Coordinates of all heavy atoms in Angstrom, one line a residue:
M728 N 0.8 -1.2 0.0 CA 0.0 0.0 0.0 C 0.9 1.2 0.0 O 1.8 1.4 0.8 CB -0.9 0.0 1.2 CG -1.8 1.2 1.3 SD -2.9 1.0 2.7 CE -3.4 2.7 2.8
K729 N 0.6 2.1 -0.9 CA 1.4 3.4 -1.0 C 0.8 4.4 -0.1 O -0.4 4.6 -0.1 CB 1.4 3.8 -2.5 CG 2.4 4.9 -2.7 CD 2.7 5.0 -4.2 CE 3.9 5.9 -4.4 NZ 4.4 5.9 -5.6
H730 N 1.7 5.1 0.6 CA 1.3 6.2 1.5 C 0.9 7.4 0.7 O 1.5 7.8 -0.2 CB 2.4 6.6 2.5 CG 2.8 5.5 3.4 ND1 2.1 5.2 4.5 CD2 3.8 4.6 3.4 CE1 2.6 4.2 5.2 NE2 3.7 3.8 4.5
Q731 N -0.2 8.0 1.1 CA -0.6 9.3 0.6 C -0.9 10.2 1.8 O -1.5 9.8 2.8 CB -1.9 9.2 -0.3 CG -1.6 8.5 -1.6 CD -0.8 9.3 -2.6 OE1 -1.1 10.4 -2.9 NE2 0.3 8.7 -3.0
Y732 N -0.5 11.5 1.7 CA -0.7 12.4 2.7 C -1.8 13.4 2.3 O -2.5 13.2 1.3 CB 0.6 13.0 3.2 CG 1.6 12.0 3.7 CD1 2.6 11.5 2.9 CD2 1.4 11.5 5.0 CE1 3.4 10.5 3.4 CE2 2.2 10.5 5.4 CZ 3.2 10.0 4.6 OH 4.0 9.0 5.1
L733 N -1.8 14.6 2.9 CA -2.8 15.6 2.5 C -2.5 16.0 1.0 O -1.3 16.2 0.7 CB -2.7 16.8 3.4 CG -3.2 16.5 4.8 CD1 -3.0 17.8 5.7 CD2 -4.6 16.0 4.9
E734 N -3.5 16.2 0.2 CA -3.4 16.5 -1.2 C -2.9 18.0 -1.3 O -3.4 18.9 -0.7 CB -4.7 16.4 -1.9 CG -4.6 15.3 -2.9 CD -5.9 15.1 -3.7 OE1 -6.1 15.9 -4.7 OE2 -6.7 14.3 -3.3
N735 N -1.9 18.2 -2.2 CA -1.4 19.5 -2.6 C -1.0 20.4 -1.5 O -1.2 21.6 -1.6 CB -2.5 20.1 -3.5 CG -2.8 19.3 -4.7 OD1 -1.9 18.8 -5.4 ND2 -4.1 19.2 -5.0
V736 N -0.4 19.9 -0.4 CA 0.1 20.8 0.6 C 1.6 20.6 0.9 O 2.2 21.4 1.6 CB -0.7 20.5 2.0 CG1 -2.1 20.9 1.8 CG2 -0.5 19.1 2.5
V737 N 2.2 19.7 0.3 CA 3.6 19.4 0.5 C 4.5 20.6 -0.1 O 4.1 21.2 -1.1 CB 4.1 18.1 -0.2 CG1 4.0 18.1 -1.7 CG2 5.4 17.7 0.3
T738 N 5.6 20.9 0.6 CA 6.4 22.0 0.2 C 7.5 21.6 -0.8 O 8.4 22.4 -1.1 CB 7.1 22.6 1.5 OG1 7.9 21.5 2.1 CG2 6.1 23.1 2.5
L739 N 7.5 20.4 -1.2 CA 8.5 19.8 -2.2 C 8.4 20.6 -3.5 O 7.4 20.9 -4.1 CB 8.2 18.4 -2.5 CG 9.1 17.6 -3.4 CD1 10.5 17.5 -2.9 CD2 8.5 16.3 -3.8
H740 N 9.6 20.9 -4.0 CA 9.8 21.6 -5.3 C 11.0 21.1 -6.0 O 12.1 20.8 -5.4 CB 9.9 23.1 -5.1 CG 10.1 23.8 -6.4 ND1 9.1 24.0 -7.3 CD2 11.2 24.4 -6.9 CE1 9.6 24.7 -8.4 NE2 10.8 24.9 -8.1
M741 N 10.9 20.9 -7.3 CA 12.0 20.5 -8.1 C 12.3 21.6 -9.2 O 11.5 22.0 -9.9 CB 11.7 19.2 -8.9 CG 12.7 18.8 -10.0 SD 14.3 18.2 -9.4 CE 13.9 16.5 -9.0
D742 N 13.6 22.0 -9.2 CA 14.0 23.0 -10.2 C 14.6 22.2 -11.3 O 15.8 21.7 -11.3 CB 15.0 24.0 -9.6 CG 15.5 25.1 -10.6 OD1 15.4 24.9 -11.8 OD2 15.9 26.1 -10.1
E743 N 13.9 22.0 -12.4 CA 14.3 21.2 -13.5 C 15.6 21.7 -14.2 O 16.4 20.9 -14.7 CB 13.2 21.0 -14.5 CG 12.0 20.3 -14.0 CD 10.9 20.1 -14.9 OE1 11.1 20.4 -16.1 OE2 9.7 19.8 -14.5
E744 N 15.8 23.0 -14.2 CA 17.0 23.5 -14.8 C 18.3 23.1 -14.0 O 19.4 23.0 -14.6 CB 16.9 25.0 -14.9 CG 15.9 25.5 -15.9 CD 15.9 27.0 -16.1 OE1 16.8 27.6 -15.8 OE2 14.8 27.4 -16.6
K745 N 18.2 23.0 -12.7 CA 19.3 22.6 -11.8 C 19.6 21.1 -11.8 O 20.6 20.7 -11.5 CB 19.1 23.1 -10.4 CG 19.2 24.6 -10.3 CD 19.1 25.0 -8.8 CE 19.2 26.5 -8.7 NZ 19.1 26.9 -7.2
C746 N 18.5 20.3 -12.1 CA 18.6 18.9 -12.0 C 19.6 18.4 -13.1 O 19.5 18.7 -14.3 CB 17.3 18.2 -12.2 SG 17.3 16.4 -12.2
T747 N 20.5 17.5 -12.6 CA 21.5 16.9 -13.6 C 21.2 15.4 -13.8 O 21.9 14.8 -14.6 CB 22.9 17.0 -13.0 OG1 23.0 16.2 -11.8 CG2 23.4 18.4 -12.6
G748 N 20.2 14.9 -13.2 CA 19.8 13.5 -13.4 C 20.7 12.5 -12.7 O 20.7 11.4 -13.0
C749 N 21.4 13.0 -11.6 CA 22.3 12.1 -10.9 C 21.6 11.0 -10.2 O 22.2 9.9 -10.0 CB 23.1 12.9 -9.9 SG 22.2 13.5 -8.4
G750 N 20.3 11.2 -9.8 CA 19.5 10.1 -9.3 C 19.6 9.9 -7.8 O 19.1 9.0 -7.2
V751 N 20.4 10.8 -7.1 CA 20.5 10.6 -5.6 C 19.1 10.7 -5.0 O 18.8 9.9 -4.1 CB 21.5 11.6 -5.0 CG1 21.4 11.6 -3.5 CG2 22.9 11.4 -5.5
C752 N 18.3 11.6 -5.4 CA 16.9 11.7 -4.8 C 16.1 10.4 -5.0 O 15.3 10.0 -4.1 CB 16.2 12.9 -5.4 SG 16.0 12.9 -7.2
L753 N 16.3 9.7 -6.1 CA 15.7 8.4 -6.3 C 16.1 7.4 -5.3 O 15.3 6.6 -4.8 CB 16.0 7.9 -7.7 CG 15.6 8.7 -8.9 CD1 16.3 8.1 -10.2 CD2 14.1 8.6 -9.1
T754 N 17.4 7.4 -4.9 CA 17.9 6.5 -4.0 C 17.5 6.8 -2.5 O 17.1 5.8 -1.8 CB 19.5 6.5 -4.0 OG1 19.9 6.2 -5.4 CG2 20.1 5.5 -3.1
V755 N 17.4 8.0 -2.1 CA 17.2 8.4 -0.7 C 15.7 8.5 -0.4 O 15.3 8.5 0.8 CB 17.9 9.6 -0.3 CG1 19.4 9.4 -0.4 CG2 17.5 10.9 -1.0
C756 N 14.8 8.7 -1.4 CA 13.4 9.0 -1.1 C 12.7 7.7 -0.7 O 12.7 6.7 -1.4 CB 12.7 9.5 -2.4 SG 10.9 9.8 -2.1
P757 N 12.2 7.6 0.5 CA 11.5 6.4 1.0 C 10.2 6.1 0.4 O 9.7 5.0 0.6 CB 11.4 6.7 2.5 CG 11.3 8.1 2.7 CD 12.1 8.7 1.5
H758 N 9.6 7.0 -0.4 CA 8.2 6.8 -0.9 C 8.1 6.9 -2.4 O 7.0 7.0 -2.9 CB 7.3 7.7 -0.2 CG 7.0 7.4 1.2 ND1 6.5 8.3 2.1 CD2 7.2 6.3 1.9 CE1 6.3 7.7 3.3 NE2 6.8 6.5 3.2
G759 N 9.2 6.8 -3.1 CA 9.1 6.8 -4.6 C 8.5 8.0 -5.2 O 7.7 7.9 -6.1
V760 N 8.8 9.2 -4.6 CA 8.2 10.4 -5.1 C 8.8 10.8 -6.5 O 8.1 11.5 -7.3 CB 8.5 11.6 -4.1 CG1 8.1 12.9 -4.6 CG2 7.7 11.3 -2.8
F761 N 10.0 10.4 -6.7 CA 10.7 10.8 -8.0 C 10.9 9.6 -8.9 O 10.8 8.4 -8.5 CB 12.1 11.3 -7.6 CG 12.2 12.4 -6.6 CD1 12.3 12.1 -5.3 CD2 12.0 13.7 -7.1 CE1 12.3 13.2 -4.4 CE2 12.0 14.7 -6.2 CZ 12.2 14.5 -4.8
A762 N 11.1 9.9 -10.2 CA 11.3 8.9 -11.3 C 12.2 9.5 -12.3 O 12.2 10.7 -12.5 CB 10.0 8.5 -11.9
P763 N 13.0 8.7 -13.0 CA 13.8 9.2 -14.1 C 13.0 9.7 -15.2 O 11.9 9.2 -15.5 CB 14.6 7.9 -14.5 CG 14.4 6.9 -13.5 CD 13.1 7.2 -12.8
A764 N 13.5 10.7 -15.8 CA 12.7 11.3 -17.0 C 13.8 11.8 -18.0 O 14.3 12.9 -17.9 CB 11.9 12.5 -16.5
G765 N 14.2 10.9 -18.9 CA 15.2 11.2 -19.8 C 16.5 11.3 -19.1 O 16.9 10.4 -18.3
K766 N 17.2 12.4 -19.2 CA 18.5 12.7 -18.5 C 18.3 13.5 -17.2 O 19.2 14.0 -16.7 CB 19.4 13.5 -19.5 CG 19.8 12.6 -20.7 CD 20.8 13.3 -21.5 CE 21.2 12.4 -22.7 NZ 22.3 13.1 -23.5
K767 N 17.0 13.6 -16.8 CA 16.7 14.3 -15.6 C 15.9 13.4 -14.7 O 15.6 12.3 -15.0 CB 15.9 15.6 -15.9 CG 16.6 16.5 -16.9 CD 17.1 17.7 -16.2 CE 17.7 18.7 -17.2 NZ 18.4 19.7 -16.6
V768 N 15.4 14.0 -13.5 CA 14.5 13.3 -12.6 C 13.3 14.2 -12.5 O 13.5 15.4 -12.5 CB 15.2 13.1 -11.3 CG1 14.3 12.5 -10.2 CG2 16.4 12.1 -11.4
R769 N 12.2 13.6 -12.3 CA 11.0 14.5 -12.1 C 10.2 13.9 -10.9 O 10.3 12.8 -10.5 CB 10.1 14.5 -13.3 CG 9.5 13.2 -13.7 CD 8.7 13.4 -15.0 NE 8.2 12.1 -15.5 CZ 7.0 11.7 -15.2 NH1 6.1 12.4 -14.5 NH2 6.6 10.5 -15.6
I770 N 9.3 14.8 -10.4 CA 8.4 14.4 -9.3 C 7.2 13.7 -10.0 O 6.6 14.2 -10.9 CB 7.9 15.6 -8.5 CG1 9.1 16.3 -7.8 CG2 6.8 15.2 -7.5 CD1 8.7 17.7 -7.2
V771 N 6.9 12.5 -9.5 CA 5.8 11.7 -10.1 C 4.7 11.5 -9.1 O 3.6 11.2 -9.5 CB 6.3 10.3 -10.6 CG1 7.2 10.5 -11.9 CG2 6.9 9.5 -9.6
D772 N 5.0 11.6 -7.8 CA 3.9 11.4 -6.8 C 4.1 12.4 -5.6 O 4.5 12.0 -4.6 CB 3.9 10.0 -6.3 CG 2.6 9.7 -5.6 OD1 1.8 10.6 -5.3 OD2 2.4 8.5 -5.2
R773 N 3.8 13.6 -5.9 CA 4.1 14.7 -4.9 C 3.3 14.5 -3.6 O 3.9 14.7 -2.5 CB 3.6 16.0 -5.6 CG 3.8 17.2 -4.8 CD 3.3 18.4 -5.7 NE 3.3 19.6 -4.9 CZ 4.4 20.3 -4.7 NH1 5.6 20.0 -5.2 NH2 4.4 21.4 -3.9
N774 N 2.1 13.9 -3.6 CA 1.4 13.7 -2.4 C 1.9 12.6 -1.6 O 1.5 12.4 -0.4 CB -0.1 13.5 -2.7 CG -0.7 14.8 -3.3 OD1 -0.4 15.9 -3.0 ND2 -1.6 14.6 -4.3
A775 N 2.8 11.8 -2.1 CA 3.4 10.7 -1.3 C 4.6 11.3 -0.5 O 5.1 10.6 0.4 CB 3.9 9.6 -2.2
C776 N 5.0 12.5 -0.7 CA 6.1 13.1 0.0 C 5.8 13.3 1.5 O 4.7 13.9 1.8 CB 6.5 14.4 -0.6 SG 7.9 15.3 0.3
M777 N 6.6 12.9 2.4 CA 6.4 13.0 3.8 C 7.3 14.2 4.4 O 7.4 14.3 5.6 CB 6.6 11.7 4.6 CG 8.0 11.2 4.6 SD 8.0 9.7 5.6 CE 9.8 9.5 5.7
E778 N 7.9 14.9 3.5 CA 8.8 16.0 3.9 C 9.9 15.7 4.9 O 10.2 16.4 5.8 CB 7.9 17.2 4.4 CG 6.9 17.7 3.4 CD 6.0 18.8 3.8 OE1 5.5 18.8 5.0 OE2 5.8 19.8 3.1
C779 N 10.5 14.5 4.7 CA 11.6 14.1 5.5 C 12.9 14.9 5.3 O 13.7 15.0 6.1 CB 11.9 12.6 5.4 SG 12.5 12.1 3.8
G780 N 13.0 15.4 4.0 CA 14.2 16.2 3.7 C 15.4 15.5 3.1 O 16.4 16.1 2.8
A781 N 15.3 14.2 3.0 CA 16.4 13.4 2.5 C 16.8 13.8 1.1 O 18.0 13.9 0.8 CB 16.0 11.9 2.5
C782 N 15.8 14.1 0.2 CA 16.1 14.4 -1.2 C 16.9 15.8 -1.2 O 17.9 15.9 -1.9 CB 14.8 14.5 -2.0 SG 13.6 15.6 -1.3
A783 N 16.3 16.8 -0.6 CA 17.0 18.1 -0.6 C 18.3 18.1 0.1 O 19.3 18.7 -0.4 CB 16.0 19.1 0.1
G784 N 18.4 17.4 1.2 CA 19.7 17.3 1.9 C 20.8 16.6 1.2 O 22.0 16.8 1.5
N785 N 20.4 15.8 0.3 CA 21.4 15.0 -0.5 C 21.6 15.5 -1.9 O 22.4 14.9 -2.7 CB 21.1 13.5 -0.5 CG 21.3 12.9 0.8 OD1 22.5 12.7 1.2 ND2 20.3 12.7 1.6
C786 N 20.9 16.5 -2.3 CA 21.0 17.0 -3.7 C 22.2 18.0 -3.8 O 22.0 19.2 -3.3 CB 19.7 17.7 -4.2 SG 19.8 18.3 -5.9
A787 N 23.3 17.7 -4.4 CA 24.4 18.5 -4.5 C 24.2 19.7 -5.4 O 25.0 20.7 -5.4 CB 25.6 17.7 -5.0
F788 N 23.2 19.7 -6.2 CA 22.9 20.7 -7.1 C 21.8 21.7 -6.7 O 21.4 22.6 -7.5 CB 22.6 20.1 -8.5 CG 23.7 19.2 -8.9 CD1 23.6 17.8 -8.7 CD2 24.9 19.6 -9.4 CE1 24.6 16.9 -9.0 CE2 25.9 18.8 -9.8 CZ 25.8 17.4 -9.6
E789 N 21.2 21.5 -5.5 CA 20.2 22.3 -5.0 C 19.0 22.3 -5.9 O 18.2 23.3 -6.0 CB 20.6 23.7 -4.6 CG 21.7 23.7 -3.6 CD 22.2 25.1 -3.2 OE1 21.9 26.0 -3.9 OE2 22.9 25.1 -2.2
A790 N 18.7 21.2 -6.6 CA 17.6 21.1 -7.5 C 16.3 20.8 -6.8 O 15.2 21.1 -7.3 CB 17.8 20.1 -8.6
V791 N 16.4 20.2 -5.6 CA 15.2 19.8 -4.8 C 15.2 20.6 -3.6 O 16.2 20.8 -2.9 CB 15.3 18.3 -4.5 CG1 14.0 17.9 -3.7 CG2 15.5 17.5 -5.7
T792 N 14.0 21.2 -3.3 CA 13.8 21.9 -2.0 C 12.6 21.4 -1.3 O 11.6 21.0 -2.0 CB 13.7 23.4 -2.2 OG1 12.6 23.7 -3.1 CG2 15.0 24.0 -2.8
V793 N 12.6 21.4 0.0 CA 11.4 21.0 0.8 C 11.7 21.5 2.2 O 12.8 21.6 2.7 CB 11.3 19.4 0.8 CG1 12.4 18.7 1.5 CG2 9.9 19.0 1.4
D794 N 10.6 21.9 2.8 CA 10.7 22.4 4.2 C 10.6 21.2 5.1 O 9.5 20.8 5.5 CB 9.5 23.4 4.5 CG 9.7 24.7 3.8 OD1 10.9 25.0 3.5 OD2 8.7 25.4 3.6
A795 N 11.7 20.5 5.4 CA 11.7 19.3 6.2 C 11.3 19.6 7.6 O 11.5 20.6 8.2 CB 13.1 18.7 6.2
G796 N 10.5 18.6 8.1 CA 10.1 18.7 9.5 C 8.7 19.4 9.7 O 8.3 19.5 10.8
V797 N 8.1 19.8 8.7 CA 6.8 20.5 8.8 C 5.6 19.6 8.6 O 4.5 20.0 8.9 CB 6.7 21.7 7.9 CG1 7.8 22.7 8.2 CG2 6.7 21.3 6.4
G798 N 5.9 18.4 8.1 CA 4.8 17.5 7.7 C 4.6 16.3 8.6 O 5.0 16.3 9.8
C799 N 4.1 15.3 8.0 CA 3.8 14.0 8.7 C 5.1 13.3 9.2 O 5.0 12.7 10.3 CB 3.0 13.1 7.8 SG 1.3 13.7 7.6
A800 N 6.2 13.4 8.5 CA 7.4 12.8 9.0 C 7.8 13.3 10.4 O 8.1 12.6 11.3 CB 8.6 13.0 8.0
S801 N 7.7 14.6 10.6 CA 8.0 15.2 11.8 C 7.1 14.7 12.9 O 7.5 14.4 14.0 CB 8.0 16.7 11.7 OG 8.2 17.3 13.0
A802 N 5.8 14.7 12.6 CA 4.8 14.3 13.6 C 5.0 12.8 14.0 O 4.9 12.5 15.2 CB 3.4 14.4 13.0
L803 N 5.4 11.9 13.0 CA 5.6 10.5 13.4 C 6.8 10.3 14.2 O 6.8 9.5 15.1 CB 5.7 9.7 12.1 CG 4.4 9.6 11.3 CD1 4.6 9.0 9.9 CD2 3.3 8.9 12.0
I804 N 7.9 11.1 13.9 CA 9.1 11.0 14.7 C 8.9 11.5 16.1 O 9.3 10.8 17.0 CB 10.3 11.7 14.0 CG1 10.7 11.0 12.7 CG2 11.5 11.9 14.9 CD1 11.5 11.9 11.7
K805 N 8.3 12.6 16.2 CA 8.0 13.2 17.6 C 7.1 12.2 18.4 O 7.4 12.0 19.6 CB 7.3 14.5 17.5 CG 8.2 15.6 17.1 CD 7.5 17.0 16.9 CE 8.4 18.0 16.3 NZ 7.7 19.3 16.1
A806 N 6.1 11.6 17.8 CA 5.3 10.7 18.5 C 6.1 9.5 18.9 O 5.9 9.0 20.0 CB 4.1 10.3 17.6
S807 N 6.9 9.0 18.1 CA 7.8 7.8 18.4 C 8.7 8.1 19.6 O 8.9 7.3 20.5 CB 8.6 7.4 17.2 OG 9.4 6.3 17.5
L808 N 9.3 9.3 19.6 CA 10.2 9.7 20.7 C 9.5 9.9 22.0 O 10.0 9.7 23.0 CB 11.0 10.9 20.2 CG 12.0 10.7 19.1 CD1 12.6 12.1 18.7 CD2 13.1 9.7 19.5
T809 N 8.3 10.5 21.9 CA 7.6 10.9 23.1 C 6.6 9.8 23.6 O 6.0 9.9 24.7 CB 6.9 12.2 23.0 OG1 5.9 12.1 22.0 CG2 7.8 13.3 22.6
G810 N 6.2 8.9 22.7 CA 5.2 7.9 23.1 C 3.8 8.4 22.9 O 2.9 7.7 23.3
G811 N 3.7 9.5 22.3 CA 2.3 10.1 22.1 C 1.7 9.8 20.7 O 2.3 8.9 20.0
E812 N 0.6 10.4 20.4 CA 0.0 10.2 19.1 C 0.5 11.2 18.1 O 0.8 12.3 18.5 CB -1.5 10.4 19.3 CG -2.2 9.3 20.1 CD -2.2 7.9 19.4 OE1 -2.4 7.9 18.1 OE2 -1.9 6.9 20.1
P813 N 0.7 10.7 16.9 CA 1.2 11.7 15.8 C 0.2 12.7 15.5 O -1.0 12.5 15.3 CB 1.5 10.8 14.6 CG 0.7 9.5 14.9 CD 0.5 9.4 16.3
T814 N 0.6 14.0 15.5 CA -0.2 15.1 15.0 C 0.6 16.1 14.3 O 1.7 16.5 14.8 CB -1.0 15.7 16.2 OG1 -1.8 16.8 15.7 CG2 -0.1 16.2 17.3
C815 N 0.2 16.5 13.2 CA 0.8 17.6 12.4 C 0.4 19.0 12.9 O 0.9 20.0 12.4 CB 0.5 17.4 11.0 SG 1.0 15.8 10.3
G816 N -0.6 19.0 13.7 CA -1.1 20.3 14.2 C -2.0 21.0 13.2 O -2.4 22.1 13.4
C817 N -2.5 20.2 12.2 CA -3.3 20.8 11.2 C -4.8 20.7 11.5 O -5.7 21.2 10.9 CB -3.0 20.2 9.8 SG -3.2 18.5 9.7
S818 N -5.1 19.9 12.5 CA -6.5 19.8 13.0 C -6.4 19.3 14.5 O -5.4 18.8 14.9 CB -7.3 18.8 12.1 OG -6.8 17.5 12.4
E819 N -7.5 19.4 15.1 CA -7.5 19.0 16.5 C -7.1 17.5 16.7 O -6.4 17.2 17.7 CB -8.9 19.2 17.1 CG -8.9 19.2 18.6 CD -10.2 19.7 19.2 OE1 -10.9 20.5 18.5 OE2 -10.5 19.3 20.3
G820 N -7.5 16.6 15.8 CA -7.2 15.2 16.0 C -5.9 14.8 15.2 O -5.5 13.7 15.3
G821 N -5.3 15.7 14.5 CA -4.1 15.5 13.7 C -4.5 14.9 12.3 O -5.6 14.6 12.1
C822 N -3.5 14.9 11.5 CA -3.8 14.5 10.1 C -3.0 13.2 9.7 O -3.0 12.8 8.6 CB -3.5 15.6 9.1 SG -1.8 16.2 9.2
C823 N -2.2 12.7 10.6 CA -1.4 11.6 10.2 C -2.0 10.3 10.6 O -2.6 10.1 11.6 CB 0.0 11.7 11.0 SG 0.9 13.2 10.5

């Protein structure tokens, strides 16, 4: 089962002009958000992004940007560390 988060709210962005097609984002992305596209890489499933920041943190060309820690990944990690329930703060009951 493929994870999907809130539709069209992820901060992920790909600058196609800066992308060299090195494929590091393909390797580090845990949810298959990216796919090869000729000699470049493109975003194929934006809503599957959990905003962990692995892609942006490993892109040597600054082609990928994302505000890591603002989405569900942050909520899940915090819940795991504290023993609480995951909440992104986007609603009273959370969105994760």
Side-chain angles (χ1 to χ4, degrees):
M728 180 177 165
K729 194 163 190 168
H730 294 281
Q731 290 289 307
Y732 299 99
L733 296 176
E734 246 182 84
N735 300 319
V736 297
V737 69
T738 59
L739 178 67
H740 177 73
M741 167 73 80
D742 184 334
E743 294 178 17
E744 290 183 24
K745 290 182 179 180
C746 178
T747 64
C749 72
V751 171
C752 56
L753 296 168
T754 302
V755 300
C756 179
H758 288 160
V760 171
F761 303 95
K766 294 184 179 184
K767 303 255 182 188
V768 173
R769 66 183 176 96
I770 296 171
V771 293
D772 194 355
R773 184 177 173 81
N774 294 325
C776 177
M777 65 179 191
E778 296 179 320
C779 67
C782 55
N785 286 286
C786 182
F788 306 97
E789 298 179 349
V791 183
T792 58
V793 66
D794 291 336
V797 298
C799 288
S801 176
L803 293 171
I804 291 167
K805 285 178 188 174
S807 177
L808 292 173
T809 63
E812 290 294 317
T814 178
C815 302
C817 59
S818 71
E819 196 169 334
C822 59
C823 300

